[in-house]
Amino acid sequence: MDSVHTELLQIEEELASGSSDAYRRHLADDALVVVPGAVLTREECIAAIAAAPAWDEYAIADARTVRLGADSAVLTYRWQSRRGADGYAAVMSSVYARRDGAWRLVLHQQTSQPEGAAGP
């Protein structure tokens, strides 16, 4: 794994912890977060995270990074999580740009999957 992949995956793990502070640190000012049924601005996303309980457990699998240029990359992965009895499975993509010396999440997109769905 290259260092960019490792760094972006570490950011995703921090975001997965459910801390609204992590979202404040890592989302770009103009970030958009696309979830099933909604497109959220940075502030809307932070508010939603702050209002939601953290995941009881989650897993990130099959993570891949594609460099788009020297200062941009996209990270894709499979997500499985559980909160109480409710499970959530999705494929996710996060687009990052290096701004002010740090990687900032500029676009995150989730495509929900039937729980337990496997990819090719």
Side-chain angles (χ1 to χ4, degrees), residues 5 60-65 75-78 118-120:
H5 177 82
I60 293 173
D62 301 325
R64 301 175 194 182
T65 299
L75 176 71
T76 64
Y77 56 91
R78 293 192 163 283

Side-chain angles (χ1 to χ4, degrees), residues 84-109:
D86 297 325
Y88 180 63
V91 289
M92 301 193 181
S93 296
S94 294
V95 179
Y96 284 87
R98 189 175 292 280
R99 294 183 179 171
D100 301 321
W103 288 106
R104 302 287 180 217
L105 181 61
V106 294
L107 176 68
H108 177 76
Q109 186 273 329

Side-chain angles (χ1 to χ4, degrees), residues 2-120:
D2 73 11
S3 63
V4 170
H5 177 82
T6 300
E7 189 174 353
L8 298 183
L9 197 51
Q10 287 173 341
I11 293 170
E12 292 288 324
E13 289 279 353
E14 188 178 343
L15 295 172
S17 74
S19 161
S20 58
D21 288 338
Y23 281 79
R24 278 187 195 87
R25 270 192 309 281
H26 296 297
L27 264 65
D29 290 342
D30 56 349
L32 293 176
V33 177
V34 181
V35 296
V39 177
L40 306 174
T41 65
R42 177 183 192 273
E43 295 308 317
E44 290 168 335
C45 178
I46 291 169
I49 292 298
W55 296 107
D56 294 327
E57 59 186 36
Y58 69 87
I60 293 173
D62 301 325
R64 301 175 194 182
T65 299
V66 175
R67 293 294 298 262
L68 304 174
D71 292 325
S72 59
V74 62
L75 176 71
T76 64
Y77 56 91
R78 293 192 163 283
W79 170 270
Q80 292 269 337
S81 59
R82 184 185 59 77
R83 184 180 288 129
D86 297 325
Y88 180 63
V91 289
M92 301 193 181
S93 296
S94 294
V95 179
Y96 284 87
R98 189 175 292 280
R99 294 183 179 171
D100 301 321
W103 288 106
R104 302 287 180 217
L105 181 61
V106 294
L107 176 68
H108 177 76
Q109 186 273 329
Q110 300 179 11
T111 303
S112 61
Q113 304 288 296
E115 196 160 355

